[in-house]
Amino acid sequence: MEHRRLGRTGLRVSSLALGTLTWSRDTDDHEATDQLRDFTEAGGTLVDTSAAYADGGAEELLGTLLGDVVDRDDVVICTKAGVRRTATGGVVDASRGALLDSLDASLRRLRTDRVDLWLATPDPRTPLEETVSALRHAVQAGKARYVGLSNHAGWQVARAATLLEPDPGLAAVEAEYSLLQRGVEREVLPACAALGAGLVAWSPLGRGVLTGKYRRTIPSDSRAASAHLAGFVQPYLTADAAGVVDAVVTAAAGLERSPLEVALAWVTSRPSVASAVVGARTAAQLRGALAVEDLRLPPEITVALDEITAPPAGYPERPGR
């Protein structure tokens, strides 16, 4: 598997990342073990998790596999904070205290003394300066090697990068990016390119829709049929999305590859993208994604997909319109 620099940092990550959103809830320890083993044997290094996944269960499961399935130093662990659990559910909280408490809890669950990449999620009630101060403290304390943001707007990326200069710097931005969601191209991707942050693309398969599995029906074992993930998939089960899926399926047929591979290859070839997070429920699904590594889309197919899926441009991207 190809390894790339994360932005302008010296950290190198695999072009595909192993996502753990479903771990300990839809993916049990046996499937997680197979996924982690298959991923690392294919050359993968970046493992993406979060304190919010399964209320910390995903981190805890990953922690049980470090040392037994793979050596801790053979993987690059990325985790996220910013959601504080309460008696009534989750509350977005990116305040300094909440973030640092969350990081300490993540380290306990992961059974490690540091994470390689730590990301904060947006909190409109907390000044960005305070959130950034927690990121800087984590690096200074040796609990995080690199830091970044997750799901922030372009102006927030620029402001955080400025506040973190010159050290430790903003290493990465994690954001949704696929042929069904290209909004980051307006401001986030240009900010990453200008400021030296690598983009980690989550849901590069359009929340699973770009695999083509939902073209005719909703499979009973799919996320769209799941009580806790149906709402996550539903926004892309539209007529407009179906047209994009049809284009991907057509391109895949011409290349004699799967729609999944075409959608992934498109994302991983985009400028500033360091890695694309693949969150599979089973090891068999993951192996299908790992097959993309030898696929390079012909220019004419890339151009066609770009044109079909381009987000509308207006002011200020196109002044006067």
Side-chain angles (χ1 to χ4, degrees):
M1 188 179 302
E2 180 186 0
H3 287 195
R4 304 171 174 178
R5 287 178 59 193
L6 185 65
R8 294 179 189 159
T9 74
L11 180 63
R12 299 186 68 83
V13 297
S14 50
S15 58
L16 294 180
L18 176 61
T20 63
L21 173 67
T22 62
W23 282 27
S24 86
R25 187 165 55 184
D26 301 317
T27 301
D28 62 24
D29 55 345
H30 299 293
E31 285 286 355
T33 297
D34 289 342
Q35 284 189 26
L36 186 59
R37 182 177 292 116
D38 290 346
F39 178 68
T40 53
E41 288 180 353
T45 58
L46 181 58
V47 181
D48 180 78
T49 190
S50 171
Y53 295 169
D55 294 335
E59 288 182 329
E60 191 165 6
L61 176 51
L62 176 57
T64 65
L65 303 182
L66 297 178
D68 291 335
V69 178
V70 298
D71 189 87
R72 167 65 184 89
D73 292 332
D74 289 341
V75 291
V76 176
I77 297 177
C78 168
T79 195
K80 298 173 284 292
V83 177
R84 175 169 52 85
R85 306 311 302 177
T86 68
T88 57
V91 175
V92 175
D93 190 346
S95 64
R96 179 183 174 92
L99 286 178
L100 295 177
D101 285 347
S102 177
L103 178 57
D104 286 339
S106 290
L107 294 176
R108 287 194 296 271
R109 288 190 290 264
L110 290 166
R111 305 183 186 186
T112 185
D113 61 350
R114 87 285 180 192
V115 293
D116 301 288
L117 178 61
W118 187 48
L119 310 177
T121 53
D123 175 9
R125 297 173 300 179
T126 299
L128 189 60
E129 290 80 359
E130 181 176 339
T131 297
V132 167
S133 73
L135 297 177
R136 178 180 292 105
H137 178 80
V139 175
Q140 293 172 341
K143 296 179 180 181
R145 297 287 173 81
Y146 296 89
V147 291
L149 301 177
S150 176
N151 296 319
H152 286 71
W155 73 265
Q156 293 171 313
V157 172
R159 178 62 175 152
T162 301
L163 292 169
L164 288 167
E165 289 180 349
D167 187 50
L170 184 74
V173 175
E174 187 168 301
E176 184 175 7
Y177 191 27
S178 74
L179 283 163
L180 290 178
Q181 178 51 270
R182 295 178 60 181
V184 293
E185 293 179 5
R186 295 187 180 95
E187 293 190 356
V188 175
L189 266 182
C192 288
L195 299 166
L199 188 87
V200 177
W202 63 264
S203 207
L205 298 176
R207 309 186 185 190
V209 174
L210 288 168
T211 63
K213 70 171 69 175
Y214 300 111
R215 293 182 80 198
R216 293 177 177 82
T217 186
I218 296 178
S220 59
D221 61 347
S222 68
R223 291 182 180 183
S226 165
H228 53 272
L229 289 174
F232 179 68
V233 180
Q234 192 63 41
Y236 293 154
L237 298 180
T238 65
D240 287 344
V244 175
V245 174
D246 287 343
V248 172
V249 170
T250 299
L255 295 171
E256 298 184 341
R257 304 295 290 255
S258 70
L260 177 153
E261 291 172 282
V262 170
L264 266 184
W266 182 89
V267 172
T268 56
S269 69
R270 308 304 285 181
S272 297
V273 172
S275 187
V277 181
V278 179
R281 183 174 55 84
T282 67
Q285 291 173 344
L286 176 63
R287 286 191 287 271
L290 295 177
V292 75
E293 277 306 298
D294 66 344
L295 176 59
R296 299 294 180 268
L297 296 181
E300 58 272 22
I301 288 182
T302 299
V303 169
L305 292 175
D306 286 352
E307 291 177 349
I308 292 169
T309 64
Y315 181 87
E317 296 99 337
R318 190 176 296 173
R321 294 291 295 274

